[in-house]
């Protein structure tokens, strides 16, 4: 969850992005220095076939890759279509826009300002994770999955 | 006067395409070649060349009850031999996919005998006797109602119909059953329709270009294709059906 005092932006692309594009644009975005939190959002790419007669078989796809953001390895578990950012303040938005212009060149995209991250745990969060769940994680990632990644050295 | 089916309303290219592919008197345009073996591999119901497993003895060997309907209806080849009932399932992208789930069921019902088509939200399944299914599936894949990038043959985990395309123009597939070979520009299946890896890649041809897809699309799309609101006749028809259905229980007159 997040404090509602920080501005948030969402970058939506016309196409679902390849890991290489995500890596390129994310490094440019992180380089602006004003990003507090990031959610990479999109349809899930499971490591094994989740259901059907082939359930449990490995599911190799070229989009489920490890990418490098800053100095940190990030395992992509989704085919990224939206990038949600929480910023230090609104002054960074032009720099983020510029980063996207450099990073996403093959297709169109747009940047929206608004509120895209959870500010309070939902009933489902309570049912899933109980009353003592880590409130910093809720809404950013699924607890119990691979968890979040803390990018070092951006401050 | 003999009844002449109209197949559907509309003046747009989408409406025209819908009428053309539904009409059994018009032949579907063939756009690619696919071998019998390849279709069997993609569907994954039996090994290529293996005998058809049966679920009952051939009709000639079993006692049929004295039934006037059985005398009227000629059984399909598969039914004669007692084949199993198997399926093929398609997912179609709404980004100018050359076919779409509801239309597929109409096509199957108008064009083929002995099939059980079923439409779900973003996918469509056709069930049939195995050897007849293979013939039917070959026609569905080799003709204009299939595009290697915008149509997927998917038995399970079908999600993709309403999602954005990937960078190379392929419809999202969680299991990535088919991949675009960037050098050859050809789409090849590396997994069968339920996601089991294939021993041999199956090539299904080049993705059609945007112009062809837009001309042959059977789905309205306000951003990338023909907007639904541009077809006045279609809107009037849909509104009329809606009004009549709503009023029917109350006052079944117009």
């Amino acid at each position: 969850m997040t404090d509602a005092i920080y501005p948030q932006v969402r970058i939506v692309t016309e196409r679902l992005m390849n890991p290489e594009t995500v890596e390129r644009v994310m490094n440019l975005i992180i380089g602006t220095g004003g990003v507090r939190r990031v959610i990479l959002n999109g349809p899930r790419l499971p490591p094994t076939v989740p259901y059907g007669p082939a359930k449990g078989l490995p599911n190799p796809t070229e989009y489920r890759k490890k990418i490098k953001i800053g100095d940190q390895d990030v395992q992509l578990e989704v085919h990224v279509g939206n990038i949600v950012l929480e910023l230090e303040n609104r002054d960074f938005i032009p720099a983020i826009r510029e980063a996207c212009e450099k990073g996403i060149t093959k297709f169109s995209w747009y940047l929206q300002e608004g509120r895209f991250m959870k500010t309070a745990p939902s009933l489902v969060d309570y049912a899933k994770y109980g009353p003592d769940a880590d409130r910093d994680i809720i809404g950013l990632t699924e607890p119990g999955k691979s968890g979040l990644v803390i990018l070092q050295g951006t401050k | 006067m003999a009844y002449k089916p109209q197949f559907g309303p509309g003046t747009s290219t989408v409406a025209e395409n819908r009428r053309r592919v539904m009409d059994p008197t018009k032949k579907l345009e063939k756009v690619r070649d696919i071998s019998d073996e390849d279709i069997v591999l993609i569907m994954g119901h039996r090994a290529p060349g293996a005998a058809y497993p049966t679920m009952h003895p051939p009709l000639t060997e079993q006692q049929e009850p004295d039934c006037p309907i059985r005398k009227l209806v000629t059984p399909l080849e598969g039914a004669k031999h007692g084949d199993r009932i198997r399926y093929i399932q398609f997912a179609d992208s709404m980004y100018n996919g050359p076919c779409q789930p509801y239309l597929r069921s109409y096509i199957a019902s108008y064009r083929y005998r002995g099939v059980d088509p079923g439409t779900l939200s973003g996918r469509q399944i056709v069930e049939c006797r195995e050897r007849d299914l293979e013939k039917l599936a070959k026609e569905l894949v080799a003709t204009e109602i299939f595009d290697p990038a915008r149509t997927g043959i998917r038995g399970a985990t079908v999600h993709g119909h309403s999602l954005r395309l990937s960078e190379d123009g392929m419809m999202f597939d969680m299991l990535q059953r088919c991949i675009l070979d960037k050098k050859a520009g050809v789409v090849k299946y590396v997994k069968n329709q339920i996601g089991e890896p294939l021993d041999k890649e199956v090539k299904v041809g080049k993705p059609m270009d945007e112009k062809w897809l837009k001309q042959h699309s059977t789905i309205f799309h306000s951003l990338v294709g023909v907007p639904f609101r541009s077809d006045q006749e279609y809107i009037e028809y849909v509104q009329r059906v809606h009004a009549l259905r709503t009023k029917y229980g109350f006052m079944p007159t117009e």
Side-chain angles (χ1 to χ4, degrees), chain A residues 51-65:
Chain A
Y51 43 83
K55 185 176 175 178
L57 283 183
N59 177 32
T61 81
E62 61 181 286
Y63 302 120
R64 192 186 162 88
K65 255 189 190 167

Side-chain angles (χ1 to χ4, degrees), chain B residues 67-81:
Chain B
C67 165
I69 301 299
R70 285 172 204 241
K71 282 174 191 158
L72 271 177
V73 179
T74 320
L76 295 174
E77 276 308 302
K80 268 186 206 164
H81 290 87

Side-chain angles (χ1 to χ4, degrees), chain A residues 92-147:
Chain A
F92 287 101
I93 294 175
I96 300 282
R97 205 180 281 277
E98 203 178 309
C100 293
E101 273 163 16
K102 277 187 199 158
I104 311 170
T105 50
K106 286 185 194 159
F107 41 86
S108 64
W109 53 274
Y110 59 82
L111 186 144
Q112 291 172 311
E113 252 188 280
R115 186 140 310 282
F116 306 107
M117 292 182 186
K118 257 186 195 173
T119 52
S122 64
L123 189 69
V124 170
D125 289 326
Y126 186 86
K128 266 179 166 174
Y129 315 124
D132 303 324
D134 186 348
R135 293 170 75 90
D136 291 337
I137 295 181
I138 283 179
L140 281 188
T141 180
E142 290 275 291
K145 294 270 164 35
S146 59

Side-chain angles (χ1 to χ4, degrees), chain A:
Chain A
M1 289 184 308
T2 180
D3 294 326
I5 54 169
Y6 295 104
Q8 291 171 15
V9 293
R10 177 169 71 177
I11 298 142
V12 183
T13 53
E14 187 193 349
R15 296 258 167 127
L16 299 174
M17 286 181 279
N18 285 350
E20 299 75 32
T21 313
V22 179
E23 188 175 76
R24 189 171 63 238
V25 73
M26 277 314 301
N27 279 312
L28 288 166
I29 287 172
I30 296 298
T32 60
V35 179
R36 280 174 53 85
R37 295 161 192 248
V38 180
I39 300 175
L40 298 178
N41 203 352
R44 197 168 126 73
L45 299 165
T48 55
V49 179
Y51 43 83
K55 185 176 175 178
L57 283 183
N59 177 32
T61 81
E62 61 181 286
Y63 302 120
R64 192 186 162 88
K65 255 189 190 167
K66 217 169 242 182
I67 60 170
K68 200 155 192 170
I69 304 180
D71 293 330
Q72 212 70 30
D73 283 338
V74 178
Q75 173 66 53
L76 284 182
E77 295 187 10
V78 294
H79 198 169
V80 180
N82 299 336
I83 301 172
V84 180
L85 306 169
E86 185 184 78
L87 306 176
E88 296 285 355
N89 58 54
R90 292 194 68 244
D91 299 343
F92 287 101
I93 294 175
I96 300 282
R97 205 180 281 277
E98 203 178 309
C100 293
E101 273 163 16
K102 277 187 199 158
I104 311 170
T105 50
K106 286 185 194 159
F107 41 86
S108 64
W109 53 274
Y110 59 82
L111 186 144
Q112 291 172 311
E113 252 188 280
R115 186 140 310 282
F116 306 107
M117 292 182 186
K118 257 186 195 173
T119 52
S122 64
L123 189 69
V124 170
D125 289 326
Y126 186 86
K128 266 179 166 174
Y129 315 124
D132 303 324
D134 186 348
R135 293 170 75 90
D136 291 337
I137 295 181
I138 283 179
L140 281 188
T141 180
E142 290 275 291
K145 294 270 164 35
S146 59
L148 51 83
V149 177
I150 297 169
L151 300 178
Q152 306 290 345
T154 53
K155 292 279 169 199

Side-chain angles (χ1 to χ4, degrees), chain A residues 18 45 59-64 79, chain B residues 42 146-154 166-192 197-198 200-207:
Chain A
N18 285 350
L45 299 165
N59 177 32
T61 81
E62 61 181 286
Y63 302 120
R64 192 186 162 88
H79 198 169
Chain B
I42 293 177
F146 184 87
D147 175 59
R150 308 289 163 95
T151 309
I153 304 169
R154 304 178 182 185
S166 63
E167 282 190 25
D168 54 11
M170 300 286 288
M171 179 171 51
F172 172 79
D173 183 4
M174 190 192 267
L175 304 186
Q176 213 184 18
R177 277 159 271 230
C178 52
I179 50 178
L180 178 67
D181 185 337
K182 289 190 181 77
K183 272 187 195 161
V186 171
V187 174
K188 53 193 187 185
Y189 272 76
V190 291
K191 296 178 185 176
N192 66 14
L198 291 171
K200 179 191 146 195
E201 289 169 350
V202 174
K203 294 192 173 104
V204 287
K206 288 186 178 182

Side-chain angles (χ1 to χ4, degrees), chain B residues 100-117:
Chain B
Q100 33 99 357
Y102 266 100
L103 190 65
R104 281 190 185 277
S105 280
Y106 279 114
I107 292 173
S109 306
Y110 278 124
R111 287 181 180 269
Y112 305 108
R113 283 182 63 222
V115 293
D116 181 7

